[in-house]
Amino acid sequence: MNYYVLGKKADELSLVRLLDLWLEDQLGHALLLQNSLDPIEIPLAKEAEFFIQGFRAHMVKNHTIKGYLRFLENGFPGHQLFSKQVGETVAGFNQLVEKVILLYKNDNVFNRTTLRFLEHHFPESCYFLIKLANFEPELKALAKCSLTKPSFHSLP
């Protein structure tokens, strides 16, 4: 915000800092999704739990990579592979959210949420994927997404 107030562009985040910020966000989305499901939606809750554990594992690995960066250059092969794995996890979680939205729109899921809440995930994950694709070009196909909520496209 300080840069913006001064009319300057902020420096791009390093991969490790980008992951620090956005993995926590994605974990929060997965936890919120799981908590919004009625307890009888066991299969969907288990799918959400899979991503919760995945995001937590990525957070731990990112923290460990920070230590390696004292001795290795940013973007070393293991770091590149990790960024690709994170992008694939984000894309997989997007598919779960899309599945829940479809069920929601057809009144086929028991939950305590709204379409607006479910869709708020997409612009943020899209932004994250776009930023990740700057570090891992193989993610560019996954980063072809919209920074707006899907239902905004159908508004008159």
Side-chain angles (χ1 to χ4, degrees), residues 22-54:
W22 287 100
L23 282 171
E24 188 171 343
D25 177 75
Q26 293 295 292
L27 172 61
H29 285 248
L31 287 164
L32 287 169
L33 176 64
Q34 185 183 52
N35 290 335
S36 74
L37 295 168
D38 189 279
I40 64 169
E41 295 290 357
I42 295 168
L44 288 173
K46 284 184 177 181
E47 287 184 65
E49 182 63 29
F50 172 80
F51 289 103
I52 289 167
Q53 294 307 318

Side-chain angles (χ1 to χ4, degrees), residues 20-129:
D20 263 349
L21 177 67
W22 287 100
L23 282 171
E24 188 171 343
D25 177 75
Q26 293 295 292
L27 172 61
H29 285 248
L31 287 164
L32 287 169
L33 176 64
Q34 185 183 52
N35 290 335
S36 74
L37 295 168
D38 189 279
I40 64 169
E41 295 290 357
I42 295 168
L44 288 173
K46 284 184 177 181
E47 287 184 65
E49 182 63 29
F50 172 80
F51 289 103
I52 289 167
Q53 294 307 318
F55 290 130
R56 284 181 174 153
H58 290 330
M59 290 170 74
V60 169
K61 188 169 186 175
N62 191 53
H63 179 73
T64 302
I65 286 173
K66 284 182 198 176
Y68 283 101
L69 291 176
R70 291 178 294 170
F71 309 104
L72 297 169
E73 300 261 339
N74 270 316
F76 66 92
H79 206 193
Q80 288 297 117
L81 177 60
F82 178 54
S83 63
K84 182 179 177 206
Q85 292 166 338
V86 169
E88 290 168 348
T89 302
V90 171
F93 182 60
N94 278 351
Q95 290 175 343
L96 174 60
V97 175
E98 288 171 354
K99 177 180 174 179
V100 172
I101 287 173
L102 183 60
L103 291 167
Y104 180 91
K105 286 181 174 180
N106 293 313
D107 293 326
N108 288 322
V109 64
F110 294 94
N111 66 85
R112 301 174 294 274
T113 192
T114 64
L115 179 61
R116 182 178 178 151
F117 170 79
L118 291 169
E119 287 186 340
H120 94 277
H121 165 75
F122 293 120
E124 293 175 26
S125 65
C126 180
Y127 180 82
F128 183 29
L129 286 169

Side-chain angles (χ1 to χ4, degrees), residues 124-142:
E124 293 175 26
S125 65
C126 180
Y127 180 82
F128 183 29
L129 286 169
I130 289 168
K131 291 298 185 181
L132 270 177
N134 291 334
F135 294 97
E136 177 48 64
E138 288 186 42
L139 295 174
K140 290 207 184 290
L142 295 177

